[in-house]
């Protein structure tokens, strides 16, 4: 793979202002959380599979290819949702269907306290921070890596928005375990946003902070206040595919450009910039043309690593 930057030139049909990849449900739906509950999809099977991070339970689902054989090994993709999001975001954007139908195993989950309606333990308004989510992802990685069907040479991480920042930080801590990462509009601006809101750490109020209209615990600000994102991300030695909409008003696409140019300089990492009125934060859910292009780029990125390994062997 050759390091570079690609731009999807497309004129969006509708101007959409994106703020978050999370949307409140308008209707109450029956939620099934029973361990082992199985559903058949078009070319894949989903199975509920809980894990834990110390004393907190983490809700998750595996998505298996149609011809899944537990005695075989598969490339696995762990998917981490954004701020106030959930495991469902990767279904809504078609990611789990795309990958599982192509032969990958996917694992999606809810961060502890990751949203008011998170199925995992933890309180959104007091417990959650970027660093608690890093800890959750590390626990999920250990869980997935313990599965006999997980190919240890092909474990990939994928994250949206805040989950993209969490993924980047976690991948850097476990560089030798992660074959590659896909970061969708990663919220690399969070530490700067906190420092802008609170000029000194002492200014962070004990009663908590507000971000994107949500009341959060003091730990949300404290945990990232001294974080040097660029130094931390640079610890990852593998390849990264960044994707970002050029009309993202929540997290400027220039931050992904900076990550490519300053953090992943020694790798064959790539940045896909999506242009058009609908190329906003969360474009992979609401922008069909951008979604199609992003899906193709992700499959190319993953297959180039897997086939490259096979060629070397």
């Amino acid at each position: 793979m050759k390091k570079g930057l690609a731009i999807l030139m497309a004129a969006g049909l509708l101007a959409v202002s994106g703020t978050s990849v999370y949307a409140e449900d308008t209707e109450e739906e029956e939620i099934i959380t029973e361990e082992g509950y199985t559903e058949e999809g078009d070319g894949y099977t989903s199975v509920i599979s809980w894990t834990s991070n110390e004393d907190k339970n983490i809700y998750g689902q595996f998505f298996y290819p149609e011809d899944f054989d537990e005695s075989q090994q598969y490339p696995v993709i762990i998917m981490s949702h954004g701020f106030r999001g959930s495991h469902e975001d990767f279904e809504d954007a078609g990611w789990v269907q795309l990958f599982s139908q192509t032969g990958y195993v996917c694992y999606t989950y809810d961060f502890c306290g990751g949203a008011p309606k998170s199925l995992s333990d933890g309180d959104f308004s007091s417990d959650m921070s970027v660093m608690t989510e890093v800890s959750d992802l590390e626990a999920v990685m250990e869980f997935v890596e313990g599965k006999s069907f997980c190919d240890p040479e092909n474990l990939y991480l994928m994250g949206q928005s805040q989950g993209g920042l969490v993924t980047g930080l976690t991948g850097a801590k476990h560089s030798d375990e992660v074959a590659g990462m896909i970061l969708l509009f990663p919220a690399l601006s969070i530490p700067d946003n906190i420092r802008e809101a609170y000029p000194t750490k002492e200014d962070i109020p004990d009663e908590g902070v507000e971000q994107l209209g949500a009341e959060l615990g003091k730990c949300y600000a404290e945990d990232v206040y001294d974080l040097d994102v660029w130094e931390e991300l640079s610890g990852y030695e593998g390849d990264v595919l960044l994707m970002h909409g050029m009309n993202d008003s929540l997290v400027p696409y220039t931050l992904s450009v900076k990550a490519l140019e300053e953090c992943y300089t020694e790798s064959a990492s790539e940045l896909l910039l999506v242009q058009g009125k609908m190329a906003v934060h969360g474009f992979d859910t609401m922008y069909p043309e951008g979604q199609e292009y992003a899906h193709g780029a992700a499959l190319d990125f993953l297959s180039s690593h897997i086939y490259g390994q096979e060629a070397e062997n």
Side-chain angles (χ1 to χ4, degrees), residues 97-235:
Q97 298 91 327
L98 172 77
F99 291 135
S100 57
Q101 289 168 353
T102 314
Y104 298 87
V105 171
C106 301
Y107 187 76
T108 64
Y109 66 103
D110 287 358
F111 283 116
C112 293
K117 295 184 178 181
S118 174
L119 298 180
S120 298
D121 292 345
D123 190 297
F124 174 70
S125 63
S126 62
D127 298 340
M128 182 273 295
S129 76
V130 168
M131 303 316 295
T132 65
E133 293 192 346
V134 167
S135 178
D136 288 343
L137 178 49
E138 289 180 312
V140 166
M141 285 179 61
E142 183 177 359
F143 170 65
V144 170
E145 288 173 307
K147 298 296 184 180
S148 61
F149 56 77
C150 176
D151 180 354
E153 300 298 318
N154 282 295
L155 177 68
Y156 298 89
L157 303 182
M158 183 176 190
Q160 298 171 320
S161 193
Q162 180 168 297
L165 171 59
V166 169
T167 295
L169 295 172
T170 307
K173 294 178 66 177
H174 300 271
S175 188
D176 59 337
E177 301 172 49
V178 179
M181 298 191 294
I182 300 175
L183 308 183
L184 302 168
F185 33 91
L188 308 181
S189 56
I190 290 176
D192 281 343
N193 292 343
I194 292 295
R195 289 187 285 262
E196 183 177 347
Y198 307 102
T200 71
K201 209 168 185 178
E202 290 69 31
D203 292 325
I204 302 172
D206 291 335
E207 61 271 21
V209 299
E210 180 178 325
Q211 286 290 300
L212 298 176
E215 298 296 328
L216 303 170
K218 184 178 182 180
C219 66
Y220 187 85
E222 282 189 321
D223 283 2
V224 295
Y225 199 89
D226 298 320
L227 182 68
D228 185 333
V229 167
W230 315 108
E231 180 179 355
E232 294 297 327
L233 295 183
S234 297

Side-chain angles (χ1 to χ4, degrees), residues 37 52 70 116 122 140 161 172 210 237 254 267 276 278 281 309 312:
Y37 178 78
S52 63
E70 194 167 358
V140 166
S161 193
E210 180 178 325
E237 298 176 355
T254 52
S267 65
M278 295 178 68
H281 204 69
Q309 291 172 6
E312 290 176 1

Side-chain angles (χ1 to χ4, degrees), residues 240-253:
V240 179
L241 174 61
L242 299 119
M243 301 188 194
H244 218 124
M246 295 184 72
N247 274 331
D248 190 332
S249 60
L250 185 62
V251 180
Y253 76 86

